[in-house]
Amino acid sequence: HDGSFLPCDVAVGCIGFVDLHFYCVHRTLHTPLLYKHIHSSHHQSRNPNPISGLSFHPIESALYFSALPMALALAAFGGVQLHAFHYCVIKGILDFNPIWGHAGFGGAFGGSYHHYVHHTVGYKLHVNFGGTWLFDGLLGTGHVEPRPSQKKI
């Protein structure tokens, strides 16, 4: 091995970058001014569904999809050679995660229910900004709500 990055290393890095980018953009959009004028339209959906995943203000759209050119630029400046596969990984995440993250319940990494909680109570509590638990857990903004089937009567 010559010390260069392996394709799987770069793919994992791409996934991590997109998750970090989403967390940062989403948390920034919850600052009072940006929430009021931009992000609040997305939060009209209190019971998210796959269509609400990409229902947002044009400025939010530009910020969200900026992950792809940012990742490409960072890789180029860092001397990391990306393959078309890496582009597809990032593009796929950006296109399909909003659908999965707004499907209501489920998700291997808590994404769907994690974001469902963000839409129901988390937007008031300023929690669950990430697409996964990773950055919410690391940065102390994660919030757990029992699933409706687990609530005590």
Side-chain angles (χ1 to χ4, degrees), residues 67 80 107:
V80 177

Side-chain angles (χ1 to χ4, degrees), residues 33-114:
L33 184 66
L34 295 177
Y35 185 85
K36 179 180 179 182
H37 296 289
I38 296 172
H39 192 56
S40 62
S41 63
H42 176 71
H43 275 276
Q44 304 262 333
S45 177
R46 297 281 185 264
N47 187 15
N49 61 63
I51 296 186
S52 64
L54 290 171
S55 172
F56 41 55
H57 191 282
I59 292 173
E60 182 172 355
S61 176
L63 291 170
Y64 174 74
F65 286 106
S66 72
L68 182 56
M70 286 178 69
L72 297 175
L74 286 170
F77 289 128
V80 177
Q81 186 174 0
L82 294 182
H83 185 273
F85 170 74
H86 302 118
Y87 173 89
C88 292
V89 166
I90 297 168
K91 184 74 169 115
I93 291 169
L94 292 173
D95 289 348
F96 292 106
N97 266 8
I99 296 167
W100 175 73
H102 291 82
F105 299 100
F109 302 105
S112 189
Y113 189 70
H114 177 74

Side-chain angles (χ1 to χ4, degrees), residues 19 22-23 26 100-101 104-107 109-122 127-137 141-145 147:
D19 197 31
F22 177 74
Y23 178 88
H26 192 201
W100 175 73
F105 299 100
F109 302 105
S112 189
Y113 189 70
H114 177 74
H115 198 70
Y116 174 83
V117 170
H118 173 77
H119 272 262
T120 56
V121 297
V127 294
N128 294 12
F129 298 107
T132 67
W133 270 99
L134 179 61
F135 292 104
D136 281 312
T141 55
H143 178 74
V144 177
E145 282 280 318
R147 292 179 185 263

